[in-house]
Amino acid sequence: MQDFGNFENAKQEKNKKISRIIIICIALVFIAIIAIMCTIIYLQQNALKVYIDGVSVNLPADTIIIDESSGKIYVDIKGIASYLGYDSHNGEYKLFTEDTNKCWVNCENETASFFLNSNRISKVEPDETKDYEDYLITDPVININGKLYTTSEGIKIGFNVLFDYNEQSNNIQIRTLPYLVERYTTIFKNYGYSGVSNNFNNQKAILYNLFVVRKDNGLYGVVDANNQEVISSRYESMEFNENLKEFFVSNTSKKVGIVTQEGVTKINLLYDDIDMLDKSNGLYLVKNNNKYGVLGNTGNIVIHLEYDQIGVDTTKFPNDTIKNKYLLFENAIPVYQNKKWGLFDKTGKMILPVEYDQIGYVASSNNSNRNVNNLLIIPNCKAIVLGKTYDKITQYGIYNYLGEQLVPCRLDSAYSITNAGVDTYYMDYQGQTLEIESYIQRVHGSNSVINTTDNQ
């Protein structure tokens, strides 16, 4: 009996140990579950949160990358596009290539092109008559794992958004232009205005805390977000120029001028029309009584208002990718007077007299070679094609952007042929066909043919 009692006691002790072990295991599992839950909560609280127009969005993990060493935020350009209401494409707008070192995005009102290792963003309205406008950002576009990334500054400009990062709460707030327009339209209607202007360029002023508003008298002005007047409401029309941060305005007499974002009149309202000719040089194209001229940044005359046309019709030269129809190669301004063409430089100095009958070569519709392209500029030579008519026959010459002659006006034609996406430039002279760049390099030296960048 004593042995049986000992056996029972041992059995009970064993069961107690097993129970203790089970309890300990359960406790450890419970503690582990709590630790895991706390870790998940901690990670969730510290994970980057992205809100677009106030709504949380789950972006792929590599869409937004924060460089820990510099604190800079890089965003996958094509990856973010659809979330901001944009389409995205490889290559550069209008060129239709699949170059992965470039990309462009577009909405209904605007396109923006980005370039690897470049600080430049080119924006243009989807209108063949408009010129590109270049915007410079602090940091260039970079490649991460085969994708193009730009900083938050590039996202703001390229996609017309407000982009704010709160480091303390580790969240990003992105507000799109349509969202901001709807929000501030309601606010300014409560202030007694008809709302913010529905002109797309004027809507972009919102991104700079400027609001183009209209009063009951039908006249426009500009206020800030606190309804403090920046430009008085006395203009019949008003359009914001994002590149220059100024307003093209007109009065009730239909005369136009320019007012800065600080409310200072930069160019007096004396003209029938005005347009930006070149930002970097502070040049404006003006029109009065159907005559055109060029003004400087302070309203000073650079080219007198006496020309029938300034700039070229770029639709005639679709293969040339002319970025600024008024200023070729950042120096040569084409002018047209009494059916003759000439060139001025950006300082107002005439570099070719107004005596040429044609600017650019336009291929005849009955040309036997269907691959021949019209030709105005030869990028690698920074050259321009002009023509003179002798005995009713036009002959063509080639001049560089400084007005210096490279080939005299004796050519029968000057054109380009595209093969596998590459343009080669040719000229015909007395039955001979010569390759233009090789000829110019041979005659004028290697310095006359340069390595081009994506700027032209």
Side-chain angles (χ1 to χ4, degrees), residues 45-111:
Q45 288 176 339
N46 289 275
L48 179 67
K49 299 182 181 66
V50 179
Y51 299 87
I52 298 177
D53 295 338
V55 179
S56 178
V57 293
N58 293 317
L59 300 175
D62 63 346
T63 304
I64 297 179
I65 297 174
I66 300 178
D67 186 340
E68 294 182 0
S69 61
S70 65
K72 293 176 182 177
I73 300 173
Y74 288 94
V75 184
D76 176 3
I77 299 168
K78 293 177 64 179
I80 196 71
S82 62
Y83 294 91
L84 302 180
Y86 281 69
D87 296 323
S88 61
H89 318 266
N90 286 335
E92 187 176 358
Y93 178 56
K94 293 185 181 179
L95 296 189
F96 300 103
T97 67
E98 289 300 318
D99 186 349
T100 56
N101 290 328
K102 302 176 183 179
C103 72
W104 60 280
V105 299
N106 68 292
C107 65
E108 180 183 358
N109 298 296
E110 190 175 68
T111 73

Side-chain angles (χ1 to χ4, degrees), residues 184-400:
Y184 283 105
T185 293
T186 301
I187 291 173
F188 283 106
K189 280 184 176 179
N190 292 333
Y191 289 148
Y193 300 103
S194 59
V196 297
S197 170
N198 58 8
N199 176 288
F200 178 68
N201 288 323
N202 286 342
Q203 290 176 350
K204 287 196 289 183
I206 295 173
L207 304 172
Y208 304 92
N209 194 36
L210 298 167
F211 302 85
V212 179
V213 292
R214 192 177 186 182
K215 286 193 170 182
D216 291 338
N217 60 7
L219 299 181
Y220 290 90
V222 177
V223 298
D224 63 19
N226 298 317
N227 196 29
Q228 297 299 308
E229 186 175 84
V230 178
I231 299 175
S232 59
S233 298
R234 57 176 178 164
Y235 298 99
E236 186 167 276
S237 70
M238 174 174 284
E239 183 161 341
F240 180 63
N241 185 300
E242 182 190 13
N243 214 324
L244 297 168
K245 310 296 185 299
E246 58 191 22
F247 294 87
F248 291 71
V249 299
S250 71
N251 57 24
T252 54
S253 300
K254 310 297 182 183
K255 292 295 184 179
V256 300
I258 294 177
V259 179
T260 68
Q261 62 179 333
E262 293 82 19
V264 177
T265 300
K266 180 176 180 178
I267 294 181
N268 291 321
L269 284 72
L270 300 172
Y271 304 96
D272 297 331
D273 199 6
I274 188 168
D275 194 8
M276 184 176 72
L277 189 149
D278 181 64
K279 173 189 175 182
S280 59
N281 294 291
L283 298 176
Y284 297 88
L285 177 73
V286 291
K287 176 184 178 182
N288 237 2
N289 300 320
N290 290 319
K291 295 295 182 181
Y292 294 86
V294 177
L295 301 183
N297 207 31
T298 59
N300 56 299
I301 294 176
V302 177
I303 298 176
H304 287 278
L305 279 82
E306 56 189 41
Y307 295 93
D308 303 317
Q309 179 181 332
I310 290 180
V312 294
D313 181 0
T314 56
T315 62
K316 293 181 179 179
F317 309 98
N319 279 68
D320 284 3
T321 316
I322 300 165
K323 298 188 72 67
N324 188 337
K325 63 185 177 184
Y326 303 123
L327 189 68
L328 305 178
F329 301 112
E330 300 183 4
N331 186 72
I333 301 174
V335 300
Y336 184 67
Q337 184 184 54
N338 299 327
K339 300 183 179 181
K340 300 287 185 179
W341 288 94
L343 294 177
F344 281 84
D345 71 10
K346 59 192 175 185
T347 68
K349 174 187 174 184
M350 181 178 287
I351 57 177
L352 278 180
V354 185
E355 60 184 31
Y356 295 85
D357 299 289
Q358 300 286 340
I359 187 164
Y361 171 77
V362 177
S364 172
S365 59
N366 59 6
N367 193 302
S368 59
N369 189 341
R370 295 183 179 180
N371 295 321
V372 167
N373 303 315
N374 297 347
L375 182 63
L376 174 63
I377 61 171
I378 305 161
N380 286 1
C381 305
K382 288 193 173 182
I384 303 162
V385 177
L386 292 110
K388 283 186 178 182
T389 300
Y390 304 96
D391 298 325
K392 299 183 180 180
I393 297 175
T394 303
Q395 295 183 313
Y396 298 88
I398 300 173
Y399 303 82
N400 70 13

Side-chain angles (χ1 to χ4, degrees), residues 1-11:
M1 293 294 293
Q2 187 175 4
D3 291 339
F4 179 78
N6 291 335
F7 174 76
E8 286 295 325
N9 288 336
K11 184 177 181 181

